[in-house]
Amino acid sequence: MSGSTTDSAPENEHNGTSETVAPSAHEPSAQETSAHEPSAQADEEKAAAVRRVSEAGRRWRAAQLAGCAALLAVALTGGSIAFGALRDGGTATVASSSSALSPGLMASGDLDAGIRAIQAHLRAQPMDFGSWATLGLAYVEQARTKGDPSRYPQAEQALQRSLELEPDNDQGLTGLAALAAARHDFKGALTYADRTLKQNPYNERALSSRIDSLVELGRYAEASKAADLADERRPGIPVFTRYAYVHELRGDVRTARTVLERALSTATTPGDIAYVASALGQLAWNQGDYDTALTDYARALAADDAYLPALEGRARAQAASGDRAAAIKGMEAVVARYPLPGPLVALGELYEDRGGDGDKAKAGDQYALVDAWTALARANGVNADLDTAMAAADHGDKAAALRAARAEWARRHTVHTADALAWALHVNGRDKEALPYARQATATGYRNASFLYHRGIVERAAGDEKEGRSLLRSALKLNPGFSPLGAREARKALKEASE
């Protein structure tokens, strides 16, 4: 599920499994259940774990900037797959796709251990095209969850090997769709998803990837139809979460939450529980319901206390609730393990908002690491223009932000790219040009306080004071803690307008 200023969930979250087939999203069962709250002892154990991670993170961050060049070099060359050691064996036949190592297994346990296991399997069975596809998907997941884009070229090699062994096999094509989406090549992802569905119309991953791609291309009406089709063919958690997000983008929060709650009631694996509960937490946070968000994130962390979206979401909800100390501590733990642009910017803004000795420098460190991550991402085939535009507009090179936003808009017209372009134009003093994009970002009914805030500032700067004030009030009413710096600026603008 999308954050207030980021693209939708499938880029950064667990995709879900469907060991249990849930009721159709169109006809959910009347029975609703909710996960039990974690015990006080479990809460204390998780808190202790976070404290340990935070202490390690503080030591790690002291060397972050000094070692940034070395970090990038290691990330670009780190890791290996079996290509160097494997040979086709000349007369070997192509293995069946029904290998012992499946994508479901890779999602259900220790990903690093799973990768090592499948590498060993492929040394013994190098013609197993299904396992090559599984390895490629595992690398995509590893890159996304660990913030290490250097895995993407390795994923591409593994997936292409699968397709060399068995042309047009649906596992390999689905993997290429996932890889393209992770690299933000959504047109490519849609092409591979469609090719997969020609081979297997009921492929769950391809049905989900098709929804994701259409959403990320801004083709929302088609995405809605794709969600309906996927729900008919393969009802289950991966489809339900996407079905909910399509409704959220239209402003239908009630349906989105109902579908997610029912999806959670069917979830059985820790990964699925954490995934759906975090989506519920994000939905609640977007609506300014912080108590519910914190409860949902607690449900997620009770299932998997290391689940990144839940840890990040909980920190944001704590900040919005006024517990800045806990929020900083939690976000420090997140970026110590996974220094991705969203958490880095969030932590930087929390430091700026605190305003203590050295906090400005600490914030600057986080923003510098965003630049390091985007450089690494681009070196490994990821289109990082949206990340650049969003981070640089407020915390970097404004001209670079505008170039990146224009480039991203040329590729796809979504509410997120419209908002990013509007804001980049605004910070470069081009508010008249920004206005139609700011309006387009809010046109679908998507309830996003950051979008309302950006449009409110742009409307005022373009000359419509009344509309601008109304939008700023709406942003603060919807989600008064949407951003520690943005909310402060919205309140400041309203105060100035009333004087």
Side-chain angles (χ1 to χ4, degrees):
M1 185 143 313
S2 150
S4 61
T5 58
T6 59
D7 280 359
S8 65
E11 293 178 27
N12 286 306
E13 293 182 359
H14 168 66
N15 282 314
T17 60
S18 57
E19 295 179 6
T20 302
V21 176
S24 166
H26 292 298
E27 298 177 352
S29 64
Q31 183 88 17
E32 289 192 42
T33 61
S34 61
H36 292 296
E37 296 299 321
S39 68
Q41 181 179 356
D43 281 341
E44 183 56 33
E45 290 173 354
K46 288 192 284 293
V50 169
R51 284 195 292 272
R52 290 194 296 272
V53 171
S54 297
E55 288 296 329
R58 278 191 282 274
R59 292 192 295 272
W60 179 79
R61 277 188 301 279
Q64 267 185 319
L65 292 181
C68 192
L71 173 66
L72 293 178
V74 170
L76 283 166
T77 59
S80 62
I81 56 175
F83 278 101
L86 294 182
R87 298 292 181 269
D88 290 350
T91 59
T93 58
V94 175
S96 167
S97 64
S98 59
S99 68
L101 294 162
S102 68
L105 174 63
M106 302 303 289
S108 65
D110 183 320
L111 187 59
D112 293 342
I115 287 174
R116 289 192 296 271
I118 199 169
Q119 287 172 336
H121 172 79
L122 284 167
R123 291 187 186 98
Q125 300 289 336
M127 305 302 286
D128 184 349
F129 69 86
S131 288
W132 280 111
T134 299
L135 180 62
L137 280 167
Y139 280 137
V140 171
E141 189 68 12
Q142 189 178 57
R144 295 192 303 187
T145 58
K146 294 195 172 184
D148 180 9
S150 69
R151 289 301 190 187
Y152 291 140
Q154 297 173 329
E156 185 172 8
Q157 285 183 297
L159 293 165
Q160 291 293 354
R161 181 60 174 151
S162 174
L163 291 166
E164 288 170 6
L165 291 169
E166 183 70 11
D168 285 339
N169 77 81
D170 64 331
Q171 292 169 273
L173 291 172
T174 302
L176 287 177
L179 175 61
R183 285 172 156 172
H184 299 183
D185 174 14
F186 298 110
K187 288 183 179 179
L190 181 60
T191 296
Y192 285 122
D194 284 340
R195 283 179 60 185
T196 304
L197 292 171
K198 286 182 180 179
Q199 301 296 323
N200 178 5
Y202 293 88
N203 185 298
E204 183 180 63
R205 283 184 177 270
L207 289 165
S208 298
S209 291
R210 191 166 194 276
I211 302 168
D212 298 339
S213 300
L214 290 167
V215 165
E216 297 301 344
L217 291 169
R219 294 160 59 176
Y220 299 129
E222 292 175 78
S224 180
K225 292 178 181 178
D228 289 341
L229 178 64
D231 184 46
E232 291 172 7
R233 291 182 178 176
R234 288 298 301 271
I237 286 173
V239 172
F240 285 1
T241 52
R242 288 157 173 86
Y243 184 94
Y245 184 55
V246 169
H247 278 269
E248 184 188 359
L249 284 169
R250 295 171 168 177
D252 186 0
V253 174
R254 183 176 181 179
T255 296
R257 186 160 190 93
T258 297
V259 171
L260 289 173
E261 286 284 7
R262 284 161 191 165
L264 184 60
S265 74
T266 70
T268 56
T269 67
D272 281 352
I273 294 168
Y275 172 51
V276 181
S278 294
L280 281 162
Q282 181 65 58
L283 182 65
W285 184 86
N286 277 347
Q287 314 312 309
D289 186 354
Y290 308 135
D291 287 343
T292 298
L294 287 167
T295 298
D296 290 330
Y297 289 129
R299 294 156 86 180
L301 292 169
D304 180 355
D305 63 6
Y307 190 56
L308 175 64
L311 291 169
E312 180 184 346
R314 183 178 65 179
R316 291 181 187 272
Q318 287 168 333
S321 301
D323 192 352
R324 186 169 56 201
I328 289 175
K329 189 173 184 179
M331 201 65 78
E332 285 174 342
V334 170
V335 303
R337 293 164 57 194
Y338 307 112
L340 298 171
L344 286 167
V345 170
L347 181 57
E349 292 193 348
L350 285 168
Y351 285 143
E352 284 196 64
D353 187 52
R354 184 171 65 180
D357 291 342
D359 277 341
K360 186 174 182 180
K362 288 182 180 179
D365 289 350
Q366 310 313 309
Y367 306 143
L369 285 168
V370 173
D371 293 338
W373 184 90
T374 55
L376 172 62
R378 288 193 175 97
N380 287 279
V382 179
N383 164 28
D385 281 332
L386 186 59
D387 297 290
T388 297
M390 293 191 301
D394 286 324
H395 308 296
D397 183 334
K398 293 178 173 53
L402 182 54
R403 287 193 299 272
R406 286 194 186 282
E408 193 64 21
W409 181 255
R411 296 184 190 96
R412 54 194 181 111
H413 295 179
T414 71
V415 292
H416 294 91
T417 54
D419 173 71
L421 180 52
W423 196 241
L425 286 164
H426 163 73
V427 299
N428 280 276
R430 305 173 70 164
D431 291 292
K432 293 289 187 183
E433 191 178 348
L435 193 55
Y437 298 107
R439 289 173 176 172
Q440 188 165 339
T442 60
T444 67
Y446 181 40
R447 292 168 56 81
N448 186 300
S450 181
F451 290 7
L452 293 171
Y453 160 64
H454 287 162
R455 183 180 163 192
I457 294 294
V458 170
E459 292 276 5
R460 289 187 72 223
D464 193 337
E465 183 70 33
K466 182 178 179 181
E467 180 67 6
R469 289 197 305 270
S470 175
L471 287 160
L472 293 174
R473 284 193 292 267
S474 294
L476 292 171
K477 182 179 179 180
L478 174 62
N479 184 357
F482 69 90
S483 159
L485 300 186
R488 185 173 68 189
E489 289 301 312
R491 289 190 293 269
K492 179 181 175 183
L494 286 171
K495 183 178 179 181
E496 290 173 351
S498 66
E499 291 176 350

